[in-house]
Amino acid sequence: MPGGRLTEEDRRLIAAGLAEGLGYAELGRRLDRPASTIMREVTRNGGPDDYQADRAQQDTSTRARRNNQPQPPAPAPTDSSYGRDPQAVQDFTEAFTDLLVQQGLPRMEARVMACLHITDSGALSAAELVQRLRVSPASISHAIGFLEQQGMLLRERLPGERRERYVIDDEIWLRNLLASLQMNNALIAASRQAAKILGPTTPAGVRFDNSAELLILVTEALTQAMEKWRLHLASRTP
């Protein structure tokens, strides 16, 4: 970035320029900085109507000190039970997380799912997830809400315990498929309605009609697969 970091004097010039009604491009030219740098500086520190040089300088210094603080060491690879190689477990967890992200899960949700999958119990509390993933409780809460909505985990509270645990089981993907089927049924209904409205013989109507036929075939195949899986689980239950 031309000129390095913004100085206190730069911030005073920005505040003065904003008071004059100058735009980010003109301020950037005056300070020999990219307009995007000026925009980020102003946006981060109150916006054009509330930017104050002294406060911006103080807040920037505070952020810099916080970022320079030594970070806690990364957690050691866990789960050496059953003679497992802890490093291999950690490497797999990271690879499985990436795979879930490639399948469409947001990364935080994918990390929660991977963390639950590698535990033998398949269940962890919010506090345990925070500790293992080293993220905020809010991040865990948001991820749990999303995964619950997708039918990918359950909540449980053991008798005599106050804390909830978040659980995955053998039917995790079954519930996820069920959510997909419900969406397919909604898309089928919408596609059929669109074909009627647009005209079943028009190009647009035919496109929607074909989509409905494909979704019906997929739904039937998935329904049969789910029933076979339920029977398979029942046969394995003592």
Side-chain angles (χ1 to χ4, degrees), residues 4-104:
R5 295 182 180 277
L6 291 170
T7 65
E8 185 174 0
E9 180 60 26
D10 291 334
R11 292 188 167 90
R12 295 190 185 282
L13 291 174
I14 290 173
L18 290 172
E20 295 177 28
L22 300 181
Y24 297 138
E26 178 58 29
L27 285 169
R29 283 191 290 270
R30 291 192 179 189
L31 274 70
D32 192 23
R33 310 287 179 130
S36 58
T37 297
I38 307 300
M39 181 181 68
R40 284 194 298 271
E41 165 69 16
V42 174
T43 302
R44 186 187 301 158
N45 294 286
D49 297 329
D50 196 32
Y51 183 84
Q52 298 178 25
D54 292 340
R55 185 180 62 188
Q57 181 68 21
Q58 182 178 358
D59 289 348
T60 300
S61 298
T62 301
R63 285 193 294 268
R65 286 194 299 271
R66 187 185 305 126
N67 292 335
N68 287 332
Q69 290 178 352
Q71 295 297 314
T78 58
D79 201 347
S80 59
S81 56
Y82 297 99
R84 295 166 179 149
D85 178 351
Q87 187 61 54
V89 172
Q90 179 170 305
D91 292 343
F92 170 77
T93 303
E94 294 173 358
F96 189 58
T97 298
D98 290 339
L99 178 61
L100 292 175
V101 171
Q102 292 171 19
Q103 296 300 312

Side-chain angles (χ1 to χ4, degrees), residues 17 23 30 32 53 75-76 84 90 98-99 120 130 138 148 164 166-167 171-172 177 186 190 209 223:
R30 291 192 179 189
D32 192 23
R84 295 166 179 149
Q90 179 170 305
D98 290 339
L99 178 61
D120 289 299
V130 166
E148 272 192 305
E164 287 184 327
Y166 307 108
V167 184
E171 294 196 355
I172 169 182
L177 285 175
D209 195 46
T223 301

Side-chain angles (χ1 to χ4, degrees), residues 20-235:
E20 295 177 28
L22 300 181
Y24 297 138
E26 178 58 29
L27 285 169
R29 283 191 290 270
R30 291 192 179 189
L31 274 70
D32 192 23
R33 310 287 179 130
S36 58
T37 297
I38 307 300
M39 181 181 68
R40 284 194 298 271
E41 165 69 16
V42 174
T43 302
R44 186 187 301 158
N45 294 286
D49 297 329
D50 196 32
Y51 183 84
Q52 298 178 25
D54 292 340
R55 185 180 62 188
Q57 181 68 21
Q58 182 178 358
D59 289 348
T60 300
S61 298
T62 301
R63 285 193 294 268
R65 286 194 299 271
R66 187 185 305 126
N67 292 335
N68 287 332
Q69 290 178 352
Q71 295 297 314
T78 58
D79 201 347
S80 59
S81 56
Y82 297 99
R84 295 166 179 149
D85 178 351
Q87 187 61 54
V89 172
Q90 179 170 305
D91 292 343
F92 170 77
T93 303
E94 294 173 358
F96 189 58
T97 298
D98 290 339
L99 178 61
L100 292 175
V101 171
Q102 292 171 19
Q103 296 300 312
L105 271 184
R107 179 157 291 276
M108 188 67 252
E109 283 76 355
R111 293 185 67 197
V112 170
M113 286 297 295
C115 191
L116 285 168
H117 266 83
I118 66 167
T119 60
D120 289 299
S121 66
L124 292 169
S125 67
E128 289 170 328
L129 286 166
V130 166
Q131 182 180 18
R132 292 185 179 217
L133 299 179
R134 299 174 65 204
V135 296
S136 69
S139 297
I140 295 298
S141 177
H142 183 275
I144 292 297
F146 177 89
L147 293 170
E148 272 192 305
Q149 187 178 24
Q150 300 301 314
M152 300 182 74
L153 55 73
L154 301 172
R155 293 175 186 252
E156 72 171 16
R157 181 178 287 126
L158 297 178
E161 291 192 4
R162 297 178 58 187
R163 291 189 305 178
E164 287 184 327
R165 299 196 309 170
Y166 307 108
V167 184
I168 58 172
D169 55 23
D170 288 339
E171 294 196 355
I172 169 182
W173 298 115
L174 202 61
R175 289 191 297 271
N176 186 245
L177 285 175
L178 181 59
S180 296
L181 289 180
Q182 292 172 344
M183 177 56 69
N184 280 356
N185 288 333
L187 288 171
I188 290 169
S191 296
R192 284 174 167 171
Q193 182 183 15
K196 290 180 181 179
I197 293 173
L198 298 170
T201 60
T202 66
V206 169
R207 187 183 308 118
F208 274 105
D209 195 46
N210 289 339
S211 297
E213 289 182 10
L214 174 60
L215 288 170
I216 289 170
L217 291 175
V218 171
T219 298
E220 290 175 349
L222 286 177
T223 301
Q224 292 174 4
M226 290 168 61
E227 185 57 32
K228 288 181 179 179
W229 178 245
R230 288 193 182 97
L231 293 174
H232 176 67
L233 285 181
S235 68

